[in-house]
Amino acid sequence: MNASSSSIRLAAVGVVVALGVAACGGSDGDEETEATVTDTAAVTEAEESSRATDAPDTAPDTSAPPATESVETAPSTEAVTAESPSTSEATSDAVDVGRVVVLGEESVLADLLALDVPVVASSATVPDAGFQGIEDDTEGIEIFDYLNTSLEELATLQPDQVIVWQYIVDQVGREQLDGLGAEVLVIPDGTTSRERVELFGEHFGREAEAEGLIADLDAAYAVGSEQVPEDCAASVVAIYPGPSPAVFARPVWAVPLAVDTLGCELVPSGDEIETDGNGRAYLSLEQLEVIAGPELILLQNDTVTGDTEAVEEIEQNPIWGQLPAVASGDVTVIDRLGYPGLVGETRVVDELVAIFNG
């Protein structure tokens, strides 16, 4: 299709990876609203809110509310051997990548930057707030809102490479993306953070750097699992606007995944409660009592419209005040958009170790 003859808008679509409901900020990473067709095909992105956070690591789950944070499966906890390269020592024969444009938000962008892949433009979970949770320099990277960006507008970025999730390709159409005149690298739905880094490393000639990042993650888990108490347990919860509480009972998103990989218990577990593709179970206010972990980890982000108000509202519920962790004061808020990609997962391990030892 000729770029001048049609405008394809990227509309919010349900994503298994985000944090949900209109609560997430748009992804994830938030948005899980289904893609809608206006004058032509439509598509969306997004890992944990109303838009999508950590580009998703699994196919979109349109049955769940909007979201934004990445979905990943448990990484290997093997101890790092002496031969394992570190990110500081790793070197590769990097290829000339040209102008790279990302349709994957912070989860994908973070890993590309960690591999020293130059990016000229990327979608963001909450565009008005800028790129969140990325420690590498993002100055000069153009932010675009996939909800209001057409293929024609993407073409003005003159990309040489477009990095995009498979579910977005399915929505927009591969022939439409090929019309941008760039090489299109498709990330398979269900890809874990380490698999994604391996894919990028091979594609961009940065295999050694990719091995170093994965070694750093494995080392963080190996050390962290020795530092947490043997009986560590936590309830991981997000309070979306409504308020609409959701508990993460299976290790899919980065934080519950890290809790589980460290050897700690998720309360409740996925064997006790039915979950969606994000490992998440939505609760009525009468069901709050299942949030019975001795530690309560809240996944919130104040740039997401309605997030702060949702927490303030649920705190007025009498059942909330009776929860074990709330009664004991063992409640910690973690930025659900603050730890994107594999590098973010590596960083959040230290945060969790501190919580369980606090």
Side-chain angles (χ1 to χ4, degrees), residues 33-97:
T33 59
E34 294 186 4
T36 58
V37 178
T38 55
D39 41 348
T40 54
V43 32
T44 174
E45 213 278 317
E47 2 120 120
E48 184 181 322
S49 358
S50 59
R51 227 191 231 306
T53 173
D54 229 353
D57 288 344
T58 63
D61 178 3
T62 56
S63 64
T68 63
E69 192 211 32
S70 19
V71 173
E72 302 170 353
T73 57
S76 164
T77 54
E78 269 186 32
V80 182
T81 65
E83 293 77 30
S84 298
S86 70
T87 52
S88 60
E89 299 172 342
T91 57
S92 295
D93 294 327
V95 300
D96 180 10
V97 302

Side-chain angles (χ1 to χ4, degrees), residues 64 81 92 99 126 137 145 159 255 271 289:
T81 65
S92 295
R99 295 174 59 82
V126 185
D137 184 13
D145 182 352
V255 173
D271 295 331
E289 59 187 20

Side-chain angles (χ1 to χ4, degrees), residues 1-23:
M1 179 178 296
N2 189 297
S4 64
S5 65
S6 67
S7 174
I8 297 183
R9 296 279 167 181
L10 304 178
V13 69
V15 172
V16 220
V17 203
L19 289 170
V21 197

